[in-house]
């Protein structure tokens, strides 16, 4: 008789599944990457089974040692995955049981349904921490670029039309703020990922006196106050994946922010803006046009947003029609989740590296920010300070702009006499508003791009990110 695998369907089924079915249903080709967390979960479960008297100490130790050996082999790339064993859980358990007979006791009080929920939570918990580190690094890269160019002004844009002057640092810090909210969302998500589902069994817990607290504590499922976090409903625990949806949603919003940053970089690198030079190592050439230097990292950062949005939509769709509780559909969660995690992490890392290798073209920035039209609103504010209602001041300055346009001169080159013909409220000091330096010194509201305020915000972020 052919020797059966230690994990066999032979008890219930007369026939093994066909190769076609095996290929369609397997998940080992992608869930193998949960191996470390699967092993940690099994070790904690084994220790608990010993503590409640199911596993003698010797067997428990043999299981832990066996799992440890398997882990080292996987890490070294020496472990042979078997597709016929379907998934990561069965691959590891079958090999363990082949080596350590007591491995047959490991699945006591456990189902793959609570096991996979545990593994994904453990994996995602780590992944969120890695991602948070990358985001902080990107924030630091943005702050550094702002600090290195603390005196550089650029036009701020609305409708992609020049609006008002801002410090480059102010523009960059806008992204630092967005990224900070991404971090907050990820931390918030982390608190709901960090809840232990083990002990939920297939759907209805177990008749054995499992010690859920012990397992949870051992695996670090505790909140900031040290309180153990356990799922409170076995059916919910094995069937919902809202924690994964939340991560993919937070990841999608992060991807939006990265994509917007990328878009600015792409514009700035064009000859039309010419604000930045990206180092050669972070650009690519054209196979046809020898002069080209393309901002491909930024373009891919923008482009990859599509798959990250798609992953979120896939997960939502996957869950919406599922009857309680576990359904095999849920196996489809992993590739989408992995893809979002991989994509946003790599994109964040590459954008940070690219920014660290980007220099400002100060002359081009200065020329663009020096456009006096950017200070037309300051001229209206000047009239408001003379007592004119803002609506009227806006109109008067509109006439000034039209005159400058008609006579083909920059706003700041109009004469006092010309201004006077438009409105008597203009004094000899009116043209003083076009001094960019004093104009920037005046914008010191909290959150405004004033000289002192931007320096303060840069210092705050430097401190907060150190
Ligand atoms: N590979 C499965 C998944 O990812 C593991 C759980 C399988 N459970 C089951 N009852 N077939 O969801």
């Amino acid at each position: 008789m052919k020797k059966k695998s230690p994990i066999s369907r032979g008890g219930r089924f007369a026939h093994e599944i066909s190769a076609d079915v095996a290929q369609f249903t397997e998940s080992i080709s992608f869930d193998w990457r949960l191996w470390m967390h699967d092993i940690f979960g099994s070790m904690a479960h084994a220790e608990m089974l010993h503590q409640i008297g199911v596993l003698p100490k010797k067997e428990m130790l043999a299981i832990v040692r066996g799992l440890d050996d398997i882990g080292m082999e996987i890490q070294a790339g020496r472990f042979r995955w078997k597709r016929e064993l379907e998934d990561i859980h069965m691959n590891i358990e079958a090999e363990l049981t082949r080596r350590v007979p007591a491995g047959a006791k490991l699945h006591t009080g456990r189902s793959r349904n609570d096991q996979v929920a545990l593994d994904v939570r453990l994996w995602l918990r780590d992944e969120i921490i890695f991602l948070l580190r990358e985001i902080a690094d990107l924030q630091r890269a943005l702050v550094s670029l702002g600090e290195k160019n603390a005196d550089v002004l650029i036009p701020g844009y609305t409708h992609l039309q020049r609006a008002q002057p801002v410090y480059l640092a102010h523009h960059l810090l806008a992204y630092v703020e967005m990224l900070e909210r991404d971090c907050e969302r990820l931390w918030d998500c982390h608190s709901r990922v960090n809840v232990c589902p083990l002990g939920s069994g297939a759907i209805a817990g177990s008749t054995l006196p499992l010690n859920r607290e012990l397992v949870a504590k051992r695996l670090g499922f505790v909140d900031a106050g040290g309180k153990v976090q356990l799922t409170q409903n076995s059916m919910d625990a094995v069937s919902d994946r809202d924690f994964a949806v939340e991560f993919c949603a937070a990841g999608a919003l992060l991807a939006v922010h990265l994509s917007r940053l990328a878009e600015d970089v792409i514009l700035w690198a064009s000859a039309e803006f010419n604000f930045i030079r990206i180092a050669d190592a972070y650009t690519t050439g054209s196979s046809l046009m020898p002069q080209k230097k393309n901002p491909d990292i930024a373009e891919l950062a923008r482009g990859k947003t599509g798959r990250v949005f798609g992953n979120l939509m896939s997960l939502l769709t996957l869950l919406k029609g599922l009857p309680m509780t576990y359904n095999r559909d849920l196996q489809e969660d992993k590739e989408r989740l992995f893809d979002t995690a991989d994509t946003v992490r790599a994109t964040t890392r590459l954008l940070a590296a690219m920014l660290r290798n980007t220099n400002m073209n100060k002359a081009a920035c200065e020329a663009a920010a020096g456009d006096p039209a950017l200070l037309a609103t300051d001229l209206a504010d000047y009239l408001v300070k003379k007592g004119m209602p803002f609506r009227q001041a806006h109109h008067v300055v509109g006439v000034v702009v039209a005159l400058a346009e008609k006579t083909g001169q920059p706003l700041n080159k109009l004469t006092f006499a010309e201004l006077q013909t438009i409105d008597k409220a203009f004094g000899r000091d009116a043209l003083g508003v076009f001094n960019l330096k004093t104009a920037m010194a005046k914008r010191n509201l909290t959150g405004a791009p004033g000289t002192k305020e931007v320096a303060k915000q840069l210092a705050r972020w430097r401190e907060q990110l150190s």
Side-chain angles (χ1 to χ4, degrees):
M1 203 175 89
K2 209 175 134 220
K3 199 164 171 278
K4 282 240 155 53
S5 154
I7 295 181
S8 166
R9 322 164 1 120
R12 165 72 177 75
F13 296 95
H15 300 285
E16 290 299 320
I17 55 173
S18 74
D20 224 18
V21 174
Q23 164 121 30
F24 189 69
T25 54
E26 67 87 23
S27 57
I28 189 63
S29 57
F30 50 86
D31 69 10
W32 64 269
R33 63 188 286 181
L34 297 172
W35 66 268
M36 198 191 295
H37 300 96
D38 193 77
I39 286 177
F40 287 159
S42 287
M43 285 177 170
H45 187 64
E47 283 171 26
M48 182 274 289
L49 291 178
H50 164 61
Q51 197 249 356
I52 64 167
V54 171
L55 270 182
K57 185 155 194 182
K58 247 177 84 182
E59 291 184 348
M60 183 271 283
L61 288 175
I63 285 175
V64 169
R65 225 172 288 125
L67 287 168
D68 204 35
D69 290 345
I70 289 173
M72 283 194 288
E73 284 165 37
I74 296 173
Q75 184 136 48
R78 278 188 282 112
F79 193 82
R80 255 200 58 230
W81 302 111
K82 295 194 180 132
R83 204 178 59 194
E84 60 279 18
L85 287 172
E86 218 176 276
D87 59 23
I88 181 66
H89 324 295
M90 305 232 276
N91 264 268
I92 291 179
E93 192 190 325
E95 183 55 24
L96 174 73
T97 309
R98 197 183 64 77
R99 299 177 186 191
V100 181
K105 296 186 183 176
L106 179 61
H107 215 46
T108 310
R110 187 174 74 168
S111 155
R112 272 187 297 159
N113 296 353
D114 58 351
Q115 188 176 1
V116 71
L118 173 74
D119 292 3
V120 174
R121 283 173 182 271
L122 284 170
W123 178 85
L124 187 53
R125 211 173 60 175
D126 284 352
E127 201 56 38
I128 290 173
I129 301 297
F130 295 141
L131 178 57
L132 285 167
R133 281 191 205 138
E134 297 290 0
I135 297 174
D137 195 53
L138 174 56
Q139 288 177 304
R140 277 191 287 271
L142 287 159
V143 169
S144 294
L145 189 60
E147 283 174 338
K148 258 196 290 177
N149 298 280
D151 55 341
V152 172
L153 291 163
I154 55 170
Y157 296 79
T158 64
H159 311 265
L160 203 56
Q161 306 290 318
R162 286 182 183 175
Q164 296 187 314
V166 294
Y167 282 98
L168 168 77
H170 191 61
H171 191 129
L172 298 174
L173 287 180
Y175 287 106
V176 177
E177 297 280 346
M178 294 178 223
L179 293 170
E180 188 64 14
R181 291 192 296 276
D182 289 322
C183 289
E184 287 169 14
R185 273 183 283 275
L186 287 165
W187 263 124
D188 191 46
C189 168
H190 185 275
S191 68
R192 279 179 292 281
V193 172
N194 193 27
V195 184
C196 187
L198 209 66
S200 301
I203 166 171
S206 172
T207 57
L208 299 166
L210 306 180
N211 186 340
R212 294 193 64 202
E213 281 78 8
L214 185 80
V215 175
K217 237 189 251 164
R218 170 78 168 62
L219 293 171
F221 286 105
V222 288
D223 68 9
K227 187 164 173 280
V228 175
Q229 303 292 302
L230 296 179
T231 53
Q232 298 294 313
N233 181 298
S234 62
M235 296 175 79
D236 173 40
V238 294
S239 67
D240 207 350
R241 293 290 183 270
D242 55 6
F243 62 90
V245 174
E246 271 190 61
F247 175 78
C248 286
L253 209 38
L254 168 61
V256 169
H257 294 150
L258 299 178
S259 183
R260 293 189 64 195
L261 172 59
E263 175 64 13
D264 275 342
V265 166
I266 293 162
L267 286 173
W268 290 354
S270 69
E272 282 68 19
F273 278 81
N274 198 23
F275 289 174
I276 57 172
R277 299 240 187 288
I278 305 170
D280 287 357
Y282 291 86
T283 56
T284 58
S286 155
S287 57
L288 191 144
M289 300 163 284
Q291 87 285 10
K292 288 298 289 293
K293 202 173 137 178
N294 298 326
D296 291 36
I297 293 176
E299 290 172 275
L300 283 168
R302 190 177 56 185
K304 284 178 188 294
T305 312
R307 61 201 281 168
V308 177
F309 290 3
N311 291 336
L312 172 61
M313 198 44 67
S314 295
L315 278 193
L316 289 168
T317 312
L318 175 67
L319 296 177
K320 78 174 258 300
L322 293 187
M324 290 286 253
T325 56
Y326 179 87
N327 297 272
R328 189 64 176 271
D329 314 44
L330 289 174
Q331 181 167 295
E332 288 289 310
D333 63 350
K334 280 165 222 57
E335 286 165 292
R336 307 284 52 90
L337 179 63
F338 295 163
D339 187 68
T340 283
D342 293 344
T343 304
V344 293
R345 194 163 139 201
T347 306
T348 306
R349 191 176 70 248
L350 268 293
L351 281 181
M354 185 196 66
L355 289 178
R356 288 213 163 87
N357 288 278
T358 295
N359 286 311
M360 299 309 297
N361 179 358
K362 292 193 182 191
C365 295
E366 202 179 306
D371 178 356
L374 295 170
L375 294 172
T377 312
D378 292 45
L379 192 59
D381 288 347
Y382 166 90
L383 293 173
V384 165
K385 282 181 208 146
K386 300 261 170 197
M388 191 181 286
F390 179 75
R391 290 289 176 207
Q392 191 186 337
H394 184 279
H395 176 83
V396 169
V397 175
V399 178
V400 173
V401 171
L403 176 69
E405 237 170 58
K406 208 172 95 199
T407 57
Q409 41 184 346
L411 267 188
N412 59 340
K413 291 291 182 268
L414 293 173
T415 61
F416 171 57
E418 282 171 315
L419 290 179
Q420 278 273 305
T421 60
I422 294 171
D423 200 293
K424 292 279 175 253
F426 283 116
R428 289 195 178 275
D429 58 346
L431 291 171
V433 304
F434 293 108
N435 181 324
L436 194 52
K437 219 176 146 188
T438 44
M440 295 317 289
K442 281 186 197 152
R443 297 161 147 73
N444 271 325
L445 300 178
T446 297
T451 313
K452 273 200 191 133
E453 178 64 12
V454 173
K456 195 177 98 190
Q457 297 282 352
L458 269 177
R460 175 173 74 84
W461 278 113
R462 169 59 60 196
E463 160 95 21
Q464 194 168 322
L465 293 167
S466 62

